[in-house]
Amino acid sequence: MKFLTKKTILKSLFIFLIFLNFNTLLAQEVKVIQDPKIEQLLNEKRKVNASITINNQYKIQVFNGSSEESKKTLIQFKKENKNYDATIVFSTPLYKVWVGNFKTRIEAERNLNILKKKYPNAILIKPNK
């Protein structure tokens, strides 16, 4: 049988104390400070997304970018195109302006060609159910 030397015992005790101290550090309380703007952003996202119903109809995306620019684009679009339904959708990290509720792809593509004259970056989308 092997006997422990004084050096081995001290080394083991030292390692034990290090682990004990490390566990004490981990068990300390962590305080998270959250910027109030985060809650504002979450509330804005909830408002925007609450008005959207995702369905199996095609839509045309005429803009994606910042919140302010999407609001301006939506207002301008509604002034010029009263016969289209339009809304803003938030999809991290961008806001998107979606237009129309087209039942068929052909109908959506026809309208996409019309809208591309004013909005060259417009794309056809079909939201998930």
Side-chain angles (χ1 to χ4, degrees):
M1 190 153 120
K2 191 175 182 185
F3 290 99
L4 297 175
T5 64
K6 210 180 216 186
K7 187 176 180 181
T8 308
I9 293 173
L10 286 174
K11 191 188 267 186
S12 298
L13 182 60
F14 180 72
I15 291 172
F16 174 75
L17 290 173
I18 288 175
F19 281 121
L20 183 65
N21 191 25
F22 184 71
N23 285 338
T24 305
L25 288 173
L26 289 178
Q28 290 180 352
E29 185 177 320
V30 176
K31 184 176 181 181
V32 177
I33 300 172
Q34 179 176 312
D35 189 335
K37 291 181 180 180
I38 292 175
E39 194 60 38
Q40 287 176 317
L41 285 172
L42 286 173
N43 287 334
E44 187 172 337
K45 181 185 183 319
R46 287 181 192 116
K47 280 191 280 183
V48 168
N49 287 345
S51 64
I52 300 167
T53 56
I54 302 295
N55 53 32
N56 62 352
Q57 296 185 335
Y58 291 89
K59 298 187 183 302
I60 298 171
Q61 179 176 303
V62 294
F63 175 83
N64 75 354
S66 70
S67 175
E68 290 304 313
E69 288 296 315
S70 65
K71 288 175 187 174
K72 289 177 187 174
T73 303
L74 179 65
I75 291 167
Q76 186 64 32
F77 182 87
K78 284 185 172 183
K79 281 181 187 176
E80 296 172 357
N81 303 285
K82 298 194 184 303
N83 55 334
Y84 287 100
D85 182 30
T87 189
I88 296 175
V89 177
F90 177 73
S91 179
T92 306
L94 300 172
Y95 291 83
K96 301 173 181 191
V97 177
W98 284 0
V99 175
N101 287 310
F102 308 106
K103 292 180 181 169
T104 65
R105 185 174 182 97
I106 293 172
E107 180 187 9
E109 286 177 352
R110 189 177 312 120
N111 284 279
L112 176 63
N113 289 334
I114 294 167
L115 292 174
K116 273 200 174 250
K117 294 172 187 170
K118 171 80 178 181
Y119 302 94
N121 293 329
I123 58 171
L124 181 64
I125 57 172
K126 184 170 183 180
N128 297 331
K129 291 181 185 179

